[in-house]
Amino acid sequence: MNKVLLAFALLTTSIATLHAQSIGGQFELYPDTTGVIATANANGRIDTRNIFFQSSLATNGRSCSTCHQADQAMSMTPDRAQELFVQTHGRDPLFAAVDGANCPNARTGDQGAHSLILSHGLIRVSVTIPANPAFQLVVVHDPYGCALTQDPVTHQYIVSEYRRPLPSTNLRFLSAVMFDGRESPSTSALNNPLTFPVNLQTDLKHQAQDAITTHFQGAPASDQVLDDIVAFEMGLYTAQVYDRQAGVLDLNGGQGGVRALMPQDYHPGINDVLGADPYGVPFTSSSMTLFSAWQAASVQSVKGGAEFEPFYARFDTARRAQARRDVAAGEILFNTAPITITGVRGLNDNSAIGPSLKGTCTTCHDAPNVGDHSLPLPLDIGIGHSPRPGLETDPSVAAGIAQLNEPDLPVFLVKGCTDPFGGAPVSFYTTDLGKGAVTGACADLNRVKGPILRGLAGRAPYFHNGAAKTLMQAVNFYNERFTMNLTDQQKLQLVAFLNTL
C-alpha cells in the first residue's frame, strides 16, 4: 500500500470511529476533490446484493448503480465516465446509445458520439411534448442531429434534452422527482405533510419503473422489485464528512456530516419563502446553521487534529481555525448576502412577488440544512438559456452564463408565448424546455427544480446541464446573474462552505 492509500485508510478509519456508533448503520467513505464524502444507510449495511446494484432487469447491462455511484455522491461524474470509456473502449453499459450517447444511433466506441457524457456527465432525456402545446418550436442549432424528432404513430414531437443524473440519496427531502418534475405528475403530490410519505413512495416507484423501461431497455418490473429499490434508496444519506482545510465536519460544534443529516427535520413547506409552511412558522433566511459554532473558532478551540488525521493532512491549528472561520463566514453569506432577483420564471411572474425581489441564496434554497426548495417550485434562473452570440437579450443572464463552461447543446427557438413579465408576444431561445416540455404550457418553459445541496463536493459538474465545472464557476454565475457584488474573499468563503455540505 502506497503512502497516499495508507494515509486515506488511516483518515477514513478515524472518521469511521467517530461516526459509526452514533449512526447505527454502515456507511461508506470516499475521497473527493476537497476531502472525504460519506453515504450511510439508515437501515443497516449497504448490501450490494440489493436489486439496485444488479443488472438482471436490463437488456443493456445496466443497473441503478450504473449512474448512481457511492464514490460520486450517488450520481455520476464525467471524470469517471472518461476512465470507463478508456478502460472498456466505450463498451461499459453507461454508454448505451439509448441515452448514454448524444443520439441513439451512436456507434459503440465512437468518442465523439458520446461527447456530452464524457465532457459534462450528461444523459440524454427523451421527452414527448404533449399534443397541441401552447408554443411552437424551431430548431436553430442541432449539433448531433436528433434535437427534435416525431413519433411515427402519434405524430407528437420528441425533444432531446441533456441533463445530469440526480443523486439517488437524501430522498426524504425531495419536493419533486426529476429536474422537470415529470415523475411527480401532480403539482400537489408532495406539498402536504400528511400525504407526503405515501406520495413520495409512489413517485419514486414510478421513476424506478420508467428507468427500467427506458434507461435499462427492460420489461416492466413487479411491485415487489420496485418496493425493494425505493426502500433501499430511501435509507441513503450522503454528505461531506471531512474537509482537508477545516477537518472533521462535526467536531467543535460543527454539524456537518452524515450523523447530523439523518435526523434533520423536514416537511413540505418548511421555511417556505412565501409563508406556506403548513404549521405557520415564518420564513427565516438563516436556514443553514451547520457551522454557526465555528464563527469564532480559535486556535485553542480546534480539536480533533493530530489524533484523528494521518501524517500528510496535519497542519497547524491556526490554519485550521481560519479554515473553520471561512466555512462559517461562507454559511453567513449563503444566508444573508443580498441578491436582486429579476427575470426569473416561477418567481418574478408571480403577482405576489413582482418584477424584483430582494432575497438571499436561501430564498430559493430554503429547506433547513438541506438546501433545496421545500415545495415544488421549478425556476428559470437562466442556466438553460443559450450562450451562443446574439441569442440572449437579458444582460444579467448573458453575464451569468458567460462565467460557465456551457456544453454544446441543441438550441430551440420558442414562439407563440406571451411574455410573463410584460404581457406582449415573445419569442426566445433555449437549450432546455424544462417543465414546459412535460406540460406543454408556456408558463413552465425553461423551469427546472433546484437539487438538494448536500454532497456537492463529490458530484461536479453542477446545474442541470453540467455548465458549472466547479463550485467557483457556480458562485461566479450567481454573482453576475443576481448582482451580488461579492469580493474575491467572499467568493472563496462561499465555495469553502458549499464544499463542506
Side-chain angles (χ1 to χ4, degrees):
M1 181 179 291
N2 63 38
K3 289 184 178 180
V4 173
L5 290 177
L6 175 60
F8 178 67
L10 291 171
L11 172 59
T12 54
T13 299
S14 299
I15 297 174
T17 301
L18 288 170
H19 291 263
Q21 185 173 3
S22 59
I23 287 177
Q26 185 185 34
F27 66 100
E28 298 184 0
L29 299 164
Y30 297 96
D32 58 28
T33 55
T34 63
V36 178
I37 198 163
T39 291
N41 185 2
N43 299 320
R45 66 188 185 90
I46 296 176
D47 186 356
T48 56
R49 294 171 299 179
N50 186 279
I51 193 64
F52 183 93
F53 298 95
Q54 304 304 315
S55 61
S56 57
L57 300 173
T59 63
N60 56 18
R62 285 181 169 175
S63 68
C64 301
S65 61
T66 299
C67 291
H68 301 283
Q69 293 280 329
D71 64 342
Q72 295 154 73
M74 299 307 295
S75 181
M76 177 272 295
T77 66
D79 287 347
R80 180 56 177 153
Q82 293 165 22
E83 292 175 4
L84 282 175
F85 198 90
V86 171
Q87 292 168 0
T88 67
H89 304 286
R91 290 179 171 82
D92 188 89
L94 176 64
F95 306 110
V98 61
D99 57 11
N102 301 343
C103 287
N105 60 351
R107 298 193 313 274
T108 300
D110 183 344
Q111 189 169 354
H114 294 81
S115 61
L116 291 176
I117 194 171
L118 294 173
S119 64
H120 289 76
L122 300 181
I123 293 292
R124 188 178 71 90
V125 179
S126 178
V127 182
T128 300
I129 298 175
N132 303 312
F135 52 84
Q136 296 89 49
L137 284 182
V138 178
V139 180
V140 298
H141 176 61
D142 189 1
Y144 313 112
C146 61
L148 192 65
T149 57
Q150 195 170 20
D151 188 290
V153 177
T154 66
H155 304 294
Q156 288 177 261
Y157 283 99
I158 302 169
V159 63
S160 289
E161 300 185 297
Y162 301 85
R163 297 175 184 157
R164 296 283 291 123
L166 284 159
S168 57
T169 184
N170 301 328
L171 301 185
R172 183 170 65 82
F173 309 112
L174 285 180
S175 57
V177 181
M178 310 307 289
F179 274 115
D180 53 17
R182 66 186 184 276
E183 300 292 358
S184 297
S186 170
T187 56
S188 61
L190 300 180
N191 67 2
N192 186 327
L194 298 179
T195 59
F196 174 73
V198 172
N199 288 341
L200 180 58
Q201 290 275 132
T202 299
D203 288 355
L204 290 174
K205 286 179 65 175
H206 195 273
Q207 185 274 326
Q209 187 73 280
D210 282 351
I212 291 165
T213 57
T214 58
H215 303 311
F216 293 13
Q217 297 175 288
S222 67
D223 276 348
Q224 182 60 60
V225 167
L226 299 176
D227 285 338
D228 288 347
I229 292 173
V230 172
F232 174 76
E233 291 177 326
M234 285 293 292
L236 298 180
Y237 293 83
T238 298
Q240 196 80 355
V241 293
Y242 175 81
D243 181 83
R244 283 200 296 267
Q245 304 301 316
V248 178
L249 297 174
D250 66 351
L251 290 180
N252 296 100
Q255 294 297 310
V258 179
R259 177 169 58 180
L261 176 62
M262 294 173 76
Q264 175 65 46
D265 185 29
Y266 177 82
H267 59 259
I270 189 172
N271 198 41
D272 178 64
V273 68
L274 298 180
D277 188 310
Y279 301 110
V281 180
F283 169 75
T284 173
S285 68
S286 296
S287 67
M288 290 294 188
T289 57
L290 298 172
F291 302 108
S292 55
W294 285 3
Q295 292 175 21
S298 65
V299 173
Q300 291 76 20
S301 70
V302 173
K303 300 177 182 177
E307 70 268 36
F308 295 121
E309 297 177 24
F311 61 90
Y312 86 99
R314 297 177 191 172
F315 55 88
D316 64 86
T317 54
R319 288 177 58 194
R320 174 129 302 167
Q322 183 58 55
R324 291 182 176 177
R325 288 194 296 270
D326 285 339
V327 169
E331 183 174 70
I332 292 173
L333 287 167
F334 192 87
N335 290 334
T336 65
I339 289 179
T340 303
I341 302 173
T342 60
V344 174
R345 287 174 177 262
L347 279 181
N348 298 117
D349 49 358
N350 185 327
S351 60
I353 294 175
S356 181
L357 173 66
K358 297 296 184 182
T360 68
C361 297
T362 54
T363 299
C364 299
H365 300 280
D366 62 6
N369 295 327
V370 175
D372 62 336
H373 199 85
S374 61
L375 287 174
L377 186 66
L379 301 174
D380 171 21
I381 62 173
I383 299 296
H385 295 211
S386 175
R388 300 180 71 80
L391 300 187
E392 179 51 54
T393 59
D394 186 326
S396 68
V397 173
I401 58 180
Q403 305 298 316
L404 300 175
N405 177 39
E406 292 271 356
D408 185 14
L409 297 179
V411 179
F412 305 93
L413 172 62
V414 180
K415 301 191 296 184
C417 291
T418 299
D419 185 354
F421 308 112
V426 66
S427 297
F428 56 89
Y429 298 91
T430 184
T431 62
D432 195 308
L433 302 179
K435 188 178 179 181
V438 179
T439 65
C442 286
D444 291 330
L445 286 165
N446 288 6
R447 294 174 60 188
V448 297
K449 76 167 186 176
I452 291 167
L453 299 185
R454 300 306 293 266
L456 282 175
R459 64 173 198 261
Y462 307 103
F463 297 130
H464 70 273
N465 59 2
K469 187 175 183 179
T470 65
L471 286 172
M472 181 57 79
Q473 283 193 353
V475 168
N476 284 334
F477 166 82
Y478 282 105
N479 187 57
E480 295 294 331
R481 172 67 178 89
F482 297 115
T483 321
M484 295 182 70
N485 298 316
L486 296 170
T487 66
D488 288 344
Q489 181 184 19
Q490 288 174 323
K491 292 177 184 178
L492 290 171
Q493 289 171 334
L494 258 177
V495 170
F497 166 65
L498 295 172
N499 272 323
T500 62
L501 294 176

